[in-house]
Amino acid sequence: MAEFLQLTIYGIVAGSIFSLGAIGLSLVYGILRFPHFAHGDLITLGAYFTLLPVSILGAPPELSFFFGVAATMVVAVAVDQILYRRLRKVAPVILLIASVGVALILRSLVQLFWGAGNQYYSQGIDMPWRLSGVNVKPDHLLIVAGAVILVVLLHLFLQKTKTGKAMRAMSDNADLAQVTGIEVNKVIIWTWVIGGGMAAAAGIFLGLDTRLHPVMGWRILLPVFAAAILGGIGRPYGAIVGGLIIGLAQEYSTVILSPPYKPAVAFALMVIMLIFKPTGLFAGRKA
Amino acid sequence: MAGIIEYAMFTLCLIGIYGILALGLNIQWGLTGLFNIGVAAFFAVGAYTSGILTGPPSEAHLGGFAMPLLVGMLGAIVTSGILALLVGLITLNLRADYLAIASIGIAEIVRLFLKTEGWLTGGVRGMEIGRPFEDWLGGNFTLNFLIFTIIVVAIVYVLLEIARRAPWGRVLRSIRENEDATMAAGKSVLAFRLQAFVLGSCVMGLAGAMYAHFFGFLSPEAFRPMLATFLVWVMLIAGGSGNNKGALIGALVIWLIWSGTEFATGLLPADLSTRAGSLRILLIGILLEIILVTRPEGLLSEAGERKRQIAREKRRAGEET
């Protein structure tokens, strides 16, 4: 029982991180209609940007968080306006190839500036609390609480603001939304602001939970994609549920499978979903 | 001087191996429109299969059957083909972008498998396989391997060019252009996609076998899967997808640029040179984006190839009359 609880905690922590990544991926996929392969590297970038105030000014990671998120938002919008915008008229698959290129560019930039080795936000061990045989680290609480706050903010943005509503409309049916006079480019920019910011938060939490590494984001791209597909493309709420399912499934799988194969579980769930219900749990976009 | 010739031959061997990979990807993406970014998976499976079949006996992992080179290459083609068949049966019904996502999953799982299952692959310590033709033609391995590579590239190129021009190749291109119309013409789209996917992966497996024997040593890190996959994609897009000649020219041009960046970063001050690898990838990444924005059809475009072919046929017809 204690083992089950322990895995559940790890699963929720991993799931929160996947959810944050999947929200942006799902929105971009729904609105711009291409799978954004550089999303993993936006995750990495967010984590590393947060390192700057920590290492230069000695600021605590909690405050540097805002710097990392803001800087990643700027990069996401810049990449879109400089590169993706020029390719929007051609087939979405060209955007897909371009995003693979962006993934490599971002990763090599991270390696150039920060080196290829592991980095940490803070030295020393985060002492876990032991509650009836279950280990909980303070960082775990921070990650889950942070994810919940961000999701609530996202919810308010999508439901209460005009831009948020326009974004949901675009993600539902882009043609119909354009006819009603939605400013497409503005919505697209906001999509990258949200997507980039959420990705950065995912990266920072991942770095807090484990360590910083230039391929940290690329390695979780598969579960993040799986979460977005499970929840339904273009469905940010679905992405949250999808992320938690993938996170929990990966952790529970370690009871029978050897831990290195965790990504295979995400892959299997994703393929099963694509075969039997390609619109995802929350009936997202199929075509 | 001898060093330069040796280096040129070494480079040409690698260009040949990457050219075979690009030809394999051309069947999948160029002709059929199947988006596979798990190239490295089939490449690695081919390499390890051939390594296990032909390598010397070892305590550390399975293998040591010491079979002839051709058996190893055949084995590489068969196993990567089987992997492609299994993967294809599950994923080829999906749309191009879902297939792309699925293919990174496959590449990741293959990478984890090679790293984790040490009994089979030697794990992170790698696998020694030794090199063929050490004692042929005066014993210059690189020269012998270069001749061998040229023969293999020529065979693969001719076979694929025949396939591309045959009715079979036309069906693939029509699937790429308009799936519904192809289906309406009574072709089984799924069957043709599966054939194209398996054939392309077999060619990638063959390239893997060549790579394994060229270096004589395999380890999961030697593949740098993302880099290999990415370079092959840049080669195909730069050369012109849909065009076998373009795939080979792309391999040549991009590999020369890739080696050129090695020289360029070699001129950097020593404290920066440790990060030269990332700078090289950065440059290739930027090159890809420039190609996509300015010349997405590549150096030798498929449409241009068709035009040249028509012009040739007209000229020939003119001579006869």
Side-chain angles (χ1 to χ4, degrees):
Chain A
M1 192 60 203
E3 194 199 357
F4 176 77
L5 268 178
Q6 183 73 66
L7 289 178
T8 308
I9 289 168
Y10 289 151
I12 290 173
V13 171
S16 310
I17 294 169
F18 297 157
S19 297
L20 291 175
I23 289 168
L25 198 62
S26 188
L27 280 174
V28 169
Y29 209 156
I31 290 174
L32 294 161
R33 300 185 184 191
F34 76 102
H36 186 228
F37 276 87
H39 218 74
D41 296 273
L42 285 179
I43 291 172
T44 311
L45 208 57
Y48 274 88
F49 275 143
T50 306
L51 204 58
L52 278 179
V54 178
S55 58
I56 295 173
L57 304 172
E62 290 78 7
L63 284 179
S64 319
F65 177 89
F66 296 101
F67 174 80
V69 169
T72 311
M73 285 173 172
V74 171
V75 170
V77 173
V79 168
D80 177 70
Q81 293 294 309
I82 293 170
L83 179 66
Y84 297 154
R85 207 170 118 137
R86 291 173 207 276
L87 297 170
R88 280 210 249 287
K89 291 276 181 287
V90 294
V93 74
I94 300 294
L95 276 167
L96 200 172
I97 301 172
S99 75
V100 177
V102 170
L104 265 281
I105 291 175
L106 292 181
R107 185 196 304 179
S108 47
L109 283 173
V110 166
Q111 280 181 347
L112 270 178
F113 287 110
W114 285 281
N118 292 338
Q119 308 229 25
Y120 301 87
Y121 285 130
S122 55
Q123 298 298 327
I125 304 164
D126 188 29
M127 279 307 287
W129 301 318
R130 281 191 72 82
L131 303 166
S132 60
V134 179
N135 288 325
V136 185
K137 283 202 267 177
D139 282 349
H140 288 160
L141 285 183
L142 193 69
I143 290 167
V144 175
V148 170
I149 293 170
L150 286 171
V151 165
V152 170
L153 288 176
L154 175 79
H155 172 73
L156 292 176
F157 174 80
L158 288 176
Q159 300 296 332
K160 303 290 177 195
T161 68
K162 211 171 167 189
T163 316
K165 285 177 191 166
M167 202 180 277
R168 280 190 295 141
M170 280 273 288
S171 169
D172 247 6
N173 186 331
D175 297 330
L176 204 59
Q178 284 180 30
V179 174
T180 58
I182 286 174
E183 286 173 76
V184 177
N185 203 40
K186 191 177 147 198
V187 171
I188 290 175
I189 289 176
W190 271 100
T191 307
W192 287 109
V193 168
I194 305 264
M198 291 288 182
I204 297 162
F205 291 155
L206 185 63
L208 206 57
D209 190 30
T210 54
R211 67 205 156 85
L212 281 81
H213 191 266
V215 291
M216 60 191 277
W218 178 260
R219 289 277 151 79
I220 69 160
L221 187 62
L222 186 62
V224 168
F225 261 125
I229 285 170
L230 219 60
I233 297 301
R235 292 275 176 274
Y237 300 106
I240 298 164
V241 177
L244 287 173
I245 294 176
I246 297 289
L248 287 169
Q250 285 202 355
E251 291 304 327
Y252 292 146
S253 76
T254 56
V255 177
I256 40 171
L257 275 174
S258 118
Y261 289 120
K262 274 192 220 171
V265 177
F267 177 74
L269 281 175
M270 181 178 81
V271 169
I272 290 168
M273 201 67 192
L274 283 174
I275 290 170
F276 293 105
K277 199 164 183 299
T279 53
L281 294 171
F282 288 74
R285 183 194 297 284
K286 180 173 183 270
Chain B
M1 193 60 205
I4 295 175
I5 293 173
E6 180 76 15
Y7 183 78
M9 290 194 302
F10 179 84
T11 305
L12 282 172
C13 286
L14 280 173
I15 290 173
I17 292 169
Y18 269 87
I20 297 172
L21 274 180
L23 286 173
L25 185 62
N26 192 38
I27 306 168
Q28 296 178 344
W29 167 247
L31 295 184
T32 326
L34 299 173
F35 201 99
N36 176 8
I37 50 173
V39 176
F42 302 101
F43 190 45
V45 166
Y48 272 96
T49 307
S50 195
I52 289 168
L53 287 176
T54 62
S58 160
E59 294 291 308
H61 56 78
L62 182 76
F65 300 106
M67 289 200 225
L69 178 66
L70 286 179
V71 177
M73 290 167 66
L74 204 66
I77 293 173
V78 171
T79 44
S80 41
I82 291 171
L83 177 67
L85 185 69
L86 294 175
V87 169
L89 281 174
I90 304 171
T91 56
L92 284 180
N93 262 328
L94 308 174
R95 280 165 33 210
D97 46 352
Y98 287 159
L99 177 64
I101 300 170
S103 70
I104 58 166
I106 292 147
E108 184 69 6
I109 290 167
V110 167
R111 187 185 68 84
L112 291 170
F113 182 83
L114 295 178
K115 216 169 165 172
T116 316
E117 307 300 326
W119 59 271
L120 183 66
T121 63
V124 284
R125 273 172 304 154
M127 179 190 278
E128 277 302 334
I129 32 186
R131 307 205 286 192
F133 334 110
E134 294 269 50
D135 44 356
W136 287 17
L137 293 176
N140 183 333
F141 168 76
T142 320
L143 176 64
N144 291 338
F145 202 90
L146 179 59
I147 295 168
F148 178 63
T149 308
I150 291 170
I151 294 170
V152 174
V153 170
I155 293 172
V156 172
Y157 175 79
V158 169
L159 289 179
L160 292 184
E161 196 57 18
I162 292 169
R164 183 182 73 88
R165 292 184 189 192
W168 186 78
R170 280 204 296 275
V171 175
L172 296 187
R173 276 176 285 155
S174 76
I175 291 173
R176 181 192 67 191
E177 296 301 330
N178 191 333
E179 205 183 308
D180 295 333
T182 316
M183 219 181 284
K187 304 289 179 193
S188 166
V189 170
L190 183 63
F192 276 95
R193 276 183 159 170
L194 198 59
Q195 289 162 14
F197 190 66
V198 170
L199 180 63
S201 304
C202 287
V203 173
M204 291 170 189
L206 174 67
M210 304 278 294
Y211 183 89
H213 296 295
F214 186 51
F215 285 104
F217 175 78
L218 288 174
S219 77
E221 298 311 314
F223 279 99
R224 307 189 58 200
M226 202 45 209
L227 179 66
T229 303
F230 183 63
L231 274 179
V232 175
W233 268 97
V234 179
M235 284 166 179
L236 183 61
I237 289 169
S241 30
N243 184 337
N244 286 329
K245 212 180 289 164
L248 289 181
I249 289 184
L252 176 75
V253 171
I254 296 301
W255 191 267
L256 288 181
I257 295 175
W258 176 245
S259 321
T261 57
E262 194 178 4
F263 282 113
T265 52
L267 302 174
L268 288 172
D271 53 328
L272 279 177
S273 61
T274 48
R275 293 179 179 181
S278 336
L279 190 61
R280 294 172 68 196
I281 296 172
L282 177 69
L283 293 173
I284 291 288
I286 293 172
L287 178 69
L288 170 71
E289 308 297 358
I290 292 172
I291 294 170
L292 286 177
V293 171
T294 58
R295 197 176 162 83
E297 74 275 21
L299 290 170
L300 292 184
S301 71
E302 192 186 10
E305 182 71 6
R306 181 81 196 122
K307 269 183 212 146
R308 283 189 289 279
Q309 200 182 330
I310 291 169
R312 261 201 308 275
E313 278 162 13
K314 268 192 188 149
R315 221 177 311 131
R316 209 170 297 148
E319 278 164 15
E320 278 167 14
T321 50

